[in-house]
Amino acid sequence: MTDPFVIAGREFRSRLIVGTGKYPSHAVMRAAHQASGADMATVAVRRVDITRQTESLLDYIDTSAIFLLPNTAACYTADEAIRTARLGREAGMSHWVKLEVIGDEKTLFPDTAALVEATRVLVKEGFVVLPYTNDDPVVCRKLEDAGASAVMPLGAPIGSGLGIQNPNNILIIREQSRVPVIVDAGVGTASDAAVAMELGVDGVLMNTAIAGARDPAAMARAMKLAVEAGRLAFLAGRIPRK
């Protein structure tokens, strides 16, 4: 690979990370994953049967091709998120975690103080922590200092489909970060994903934009192409605006 995407020493083929919620069926989810070309998918630990005693979405993910990234969705305190991450690891999912500590139930904005606290604890316990956070350069720096292996600033509120609302914040975060920057949340369509990648971020994570589309598999393919195009455009170097 001439332009590898590496997090914590692990190399991924695709810079598109997909989710597993809100699909009309598990079969539709599987088709969308295949169309996306993604090789990492995030799974909410608290929303699946990790014992595998009953059929769950885990049965529809080809783990030989897609790396599972457990997440702590629906956790509202640092303690909740820490316990959920430990549960995912003990169940054999992964020692990686997409860390979410929600501060507001309506907007799903993060509780950044609790997020930094949970990151520090989990890193000390050997987790590879990828925290979902506000598009705040100061918070992203604190998360990196706490040991995060990547920072994942939102482009817009979760599920809003508004696209990148503060591109200058994303640029500042990218310029100051020594770890990968992944835009997480807010993408609505392919052009939003391309814009994110043209800003120079390392990847884009999305769920609702694909799962909620009229044709999830078609949208997944559109997002795949948009992420690739946006990355190529960034590397190519656009002409200055005049």
Side-chain angles (χ1 to χ4, degrees), residues 9-110:
R10 184 182 182 114
E11 190 169 303
F12 296 91
R13 298 185 311 277
S14 173
R15 292 176 180 272
L16 173 60
I17 305 170
V18 294
T20 52
K22 302 182 181 180
Y23 283 92
S25 71
H26 294 333
V28 170
M29 178 195 73
R30 179 167 56 193
H33 285 181
Q34 292 171 344
S36 74
D39 52 352
M40 178 161 33
T42 184
V43 179
V45 175
R46 302 179 73 172
R47 294 173 180 163
V48 297
D49 178 10
I50 57 178
T51 66
R52 309 294 284 269
Q53 293 179 352
T54 60
E55 184 182 75
S56 76
L57 62 84
L58 295 177
D59 298 310
Y60 289 80
I61 300 174
D62 179 5
T63 54
S64 67
I66 297 178
F67 177 75
L68 290 183
L69 176 63
N71 74 55
T72 61
C75 291
Y76 287 83
T77 67
D79 285 343
E80 270 189 303
I82 291 165
R83 287 197 303 270
T84 301
R86 290 170 179 163
L87 178 62
R89 180 168 67 177
E90 291 166 7
M93 293 180 72
S94 180
H95 69 287
W96 287 46
V97 61
K98 179 195 170 190
L99 185 62
E100 299 182 30
V101 184
I102 302 302
D104 181 72
E105 188 173 2
K106 182 177 180 180
T107 63
L108 302 181
F109 281 128

Side-chain angles (χ1 to χ4, degrees), residues 53-210:
Q53 293 179 352
T54 60
E55 184 182 75
S56 76
L57 62 84
L58 295 177
D59 298 310
Y60 289 80
I61 300 174
D62 179 5
T63 54
S64 67
I66 297 178
F67 177 75
L68 290 183
L69 176 63
N71 74 55
T72 61
C75 291
Y76 287 83
T77 67
D79 285 343
E80 270 189 303
I82 291 165
R83 287 197 303 270
T84 301
R86 290 170 179 163
L87 178 62
R89 180 168 67 177
E90 291 166 7
M93 293 180 72
S94 180
H95 69 287
W96 287 46
V97 61
K98 179 195 170 190
L99 185 62
E100 299 182 30
V101 184
I102 302 302
D104 181 72
E105 188 173 2
K106 182 177 180 180
T107 63
L108 302 181
F109 281 128
D111 180 334
T112 55
L115 189 64
V116 172
E117 177 188 349
T119 297
R120 190 173 290 113
V121 170
L122 290 170
V123 167
K124 287 180 179 178
E125 294 185 6
F127 282 88
V128 174
V129 181
L130 283 62
Y132 155 71
T133 185
N134 291 332
D135 55 346
D136 183 333
V138 175
V139 172
C140 287
R141 187 170 63 243
K142 289 181 178 180
L143 289 166
E144 186 175 337
D145 291 343
S149 294
V151 290
M152 306 179 75
L154 55 82
I158 290 176
S160 67
L162 291 170
I164 309 300
Q165 294 296 290
N166 296 300
N168 287 324
N169 283 21
I170 300 297
L171 281 171
I172 293 168
I173 292 167
R174 177 183 63 78
E175 289 169 359
Q176 75 178 17
S177 293
R178 301 181 303 275
V179 297
V181 176
I182 301 165
V183 167
D184 178 10
V187 169
T189 191
S191 57
D192 299 330
V195 166
M197 295 304 298
E198 287 170 4
L199 292 172
V201 301
D202 298 277
V204 179
L205 190 154
M206 65 184 73
N207 183 69
T208 307
I210 295 175

